[in-house]
Structures are given as structure tokens and as C-alpha cells.
Amino acid sequence: MTFSATTVLVLGLIALLVLALGVWAYSTANRLDRLHVRSDQSWQALDAALARRAVVARAVAMSIAGPVSNDPLRAERAAQLATLADWAERADRGDRETIENQLSSALSMVDIAALRPQLVAELADAEARVLIARRFHNDAVRDTLALRTRRPVRILHLGGTAPLPHYFEITERATPAAATGLEVHTTRTSARVVLLDEQDRVLLLRGHDPMVPEVAFWFTVGGSVEPGESLREAAVREIYEETGRRVEAAALRGPLWRRVAVFPFNGELVRSEELFFTLRAARFEWRPADLTALERRTITDHRWCTPADIRELDATGEAVYPYHLDELLAEAVTAAEDDTGHVVRSIR
């Protein structure tokens, strides 16, 4: 039996299509597997953050109750808070959102001024960790569902038998005063990026407070997360606005670090919670694409810096943020080459 050239061509095309479909299915299944692992790990981190908040809530309850309380209402609130903390620790996944929201509501009624400063700091830190862990978890769930619910993925059952992940929604309570003991005018979450070139140099921007133009400082690319944005989306947008460089969110590694800073800027006291990603990119010419009017007034220079350069800047009296970035760069360089999960740790 002989085949015509047309038949051979058609069979070859069919074979190529089958091969391409197989490669796509294999890579998609592997990506789904990694996404499921990421959502599972993010839930474990959120579960740990919620458990820590329950422990702190119980300590708050003991503090507001006091050794012997003559205030029945205060004693009742303390007992309710302790009970909710116990329930939160023992609740199963199905009831967890409801009980955690009740615990959030009870914590919001606590008079911060009546607590010891150390306990105030612990409560603020516990709530901040829950906030960050919940955002990471919901980001992981969103990415998993976006791929898992595509029609070709469902038809080919590439998700296997793994259950669909679920969002976790609880009330977020902004308590800047609890975290600082000061009257804070603005509280924000920021996405920042340690942007590295081929020689492991980091791009830093030079700026100043418009109220104190004679004092300059250096900082990494990044800025506030806007309503409706994820941390990665904010980081991608800020990179473009502040450097003119377009990048894919998937190229970002991290977040690696969390930094909480309170500082005056433009006549206001700001509390900023900063999450740091790292990104490797070929060195490029710095051309900001969309700076705000305030940024155009206050960002005056840029520089690709080695650790030695950072130490030199510090020695001249121009601070570099975050602190000890020269020592942190090695960690960012390692993370830039590794797309596995990272444990977020606190820095100054």
C-alpha cells in the first residue's frame, strides 16, 4: 500500500497536532499541580496566622478582664473574646470564616488604650500577619481557579481529583494607632521590587520629602497597592510607571520580605506595610513612563547599585531603604533564580 504526498502531509500534521496537544496538556497539568501546592501552602500559612491571632486574642481577654473586674460589661466582653478565641482554634474549615469574623468584630470593640504597649504591638502584628496571609491565599486561589475552570482543562480533566480551592473572606480591621501608638494620617500597603540587572546590581531611586528637600534618601522601585489590585499587579504597574519597563507578573519572585515603617511625608504621618518582590532584568535605560506630579517633584535621580555602592551612599548620610539592603541583596539574587515558594520574613 502506498500513500500520496497529500496523505503523508495530512498524517504528519495530525501527528504534530497530537504531539502539541500532549505537550500542552502535560505542561498545564504540571502547572496546575504547582498551583494547587501553592494554594495548599498559602492556606497553611493563613491557618497559622489565624491561630496566632487567637492566642493573642486570649491574652487580650485576660488583660481586659483583670484579676478581679468590678465592671460586669467589661468582664462579659472579656469572656466572649476568650470563648471566640477558643472556638476559632477548634473550628473546622466550613465554619472558620463565620467564627473568625465574629472574633474580628469582638477585637474591634477592644479599647486599645487600656492594653499594655507590648500587647498592643502583639495584637497589631497578629492582625497584620492575618491580613497578608489572607491576601496571599486568595491570590493563590484566584490563579488556581483561573486555570482550573478553563473549558479545555475541564474537558481533559487535567485537574485530576484535587478539590477546588476556596477563597477565605474575613473582615479586615485597619488599626494604625494600635500598631504605632501615634495618630497616623495615612495607612497603606505597598508592593516594592528589588530590580536586579545581569551583574546583580539593584536599581535605586533617589528622592526627598517635599517638606524637607535638603534631606535625600534612596529606595527601591514600588508604591501603593490600588483598590482592586493584587500585590503582583501593583508591582508590575509600579515598575512600568517608575522605570518605563514592562514585565510579566509571573516573572516576579516572592514576596520575600515584609517591612512596616512609620514616617512623615509631605506633612502627613504615614504607616506603610511594604511587601518586597525580586526580579531579574537586562539592564535598561531608566525612563519613567507615568510618574505623578508629586513623584516628578521628589524623585531626582537613579542608580544601579552594588552592595559596596549602597554602603557608600549610607556613609555619605543619604539613607537607603530598606535598611541593610547591602546585606539583603544576596538573598534577593538567589530568589530571583528560584520560582519555588518563599517564606515572607520581616525586615527593617
Side-chain angles (χ1 to χ4, degrees):
M1 180 183 293
T2 60
F3 296 97
S4 67
T6 301
T7 302
V8 172
L9 178 61
V10 170
L11 291 175
L13 289 175
I14 292 174
L16 285 175
L17 287 174
V18 171
L19 177 62
L21 179 62
V23 171
W24 174 84
Y26 177 77
S27 62
T28 301
N30 280 340
R31 184 182 171 198
L32 265 176
D33 183 60
R34 292 195 299 271
L35 286 172
H36 278 293
V37 170
R38 177 185 162 201
S39 62
D40 288 343
Q41 291 176 338
S42 66
W43 167 250
Q44 293 170 7
L46 176 57
D47 182 58
L50 292 169
R52 183 174 182 273
R53 186 178 74 154
V55 172
V56 176
R58 190 179 297 107
V60 170
M62 294 174 61
S63 178
I64 63 177
V68 178
S69 178
N70 295 322
D71 185 345
L73 179 59
R74 183 175 175 180
E76 180 183 350
R77 286 182 176 175
Q80 180 190 31
L81 185 58
T83 300
L84 287 171
D86 290 339
W87 287 356
E89 288 181 323
R90 297 196 300 266
D92 58 31
R93 181 68 173 84
D95 299 326
R96 193 72 176 272
E97 281 187 12
T98 300
I99 294 175
E100 293 291 352
N101 272 305
Q102 291 174 352
L103 180 57
S104 294
S105 179
L107 284 170
S108 69
M109 299 179 68
V110 173
D111 181 8
I112 297 297
L115 302 179
R116 303 188 313 275
Q118 181 60 35
L119 190 53
V120 171
E122 289 182 10
L123 176 60
D125 185 68
E127 289 185 330
R129 289 175 185 271
V130 169
L131 171 63
I132 294 171
R134 189 189 72 84
R135 289 180 180 175
F136 288 165
H137 174 67
N138 284 348
D139 283 351
V141 171
R142 181 202 60 209
D143 294 343
T144 304
L145 293 178
L147 183 59
R148 181 79 181 269
T149 55
R150 291 179 183 175
R151 182 173 296 178
V153 173
R154 289 188 285 108
I155 292 174
L156 295 176
H157 301 288
L158 298 181
T161 58
L164 289 174
H166 298 283
Y167 291 104
F168 192 82
E169 302 295 346
I170 60 173
T171 303
E172 295 180 358
R173 182 163 74 96
T175 55
T180 64
L182 302 171
E183 182 181 355
V184 176
H185 302 100
T186 302
T187 181
R188 69 189 185 195
T189 300
S190 297
R192 309 210 69 86
V193 182
V194 180
L195 190 55
L196 301 165
D197 70 2
E198 306 96 324
Q199 299 180 28
D200 297 339
R201 293 176 293 192
V202 58
L203 178 61
L204 295 179
L205 306 182
R206 185 177 187 264
H208 62 263
D209 184 335
M211 307 292 287
V212 193
E214 66 275 12
V215 179
F217 51 86
W218 296 78
F219 52 95
T220 58
V221 173
S224 298
V225 178
E226 295 182 351
E229 278 188 325
S230 69
L231 285 167
R232 285 178 178 269
E233 290 168 344
V236 168
R237 175 182 53 76
E238 289 288 342
I239 291 172
Y240 174 68
E241 291 177 355
E242 295 186 352
T243 73
R245 182 82 170 185
R246 293 191 181 275
V247 303
E248 296 294 331
L252 296 170
R253 300 291 178 257
L256 307 176
W257 312 316
R258 169 182 176 255
R259 176 177 182 259
V260 177
V262 178
F263 53 89
F265 188 80
N266 201 25
E268 292 188 344
L269 188 63
V270 179
R271 179 185 187 269
S272 180
E273 183 176 37
E274 302 172 345
L275 283 301
F276 287 79
F277 294 90
T278 185
L279 173 68
R280 172 81 67 188
R283 184 168 179 175
F284 56 90
E285 185 177 351
W286 180 69
R287 287 183 178 173
D290 191 19
L291 295 181
T292 65
L294 181 61
E295 288 172 334
R296 288 195 296 271
R297 286 170 48 208
T298 57
I299 297 178
T300 59
D301 200 359
H302 75 286
R303 183 172 175 182
W304 292 91
C305 294
T306 65
D309 294 329
I310 294 172
R311 289 190 290 271
E312 181 182 339
L313 291 173
D314 276 325
T316 64
E318 296 191 352
V320 178
Y321 300 107
Y323 292 110
H324 309 302
L325 181 57
D326 58 319
E327 299 173 7
L328 294 170
L329 269 188
E331 183 180 346
V333 168
T334 300
E337 310 302 330
D338 182 10
D339 63 354
T340 58
H342 302 279
V343 177
V344 181
R345 67 183 186 87
S346 295
I347 62 172
R348 293 181 57 228

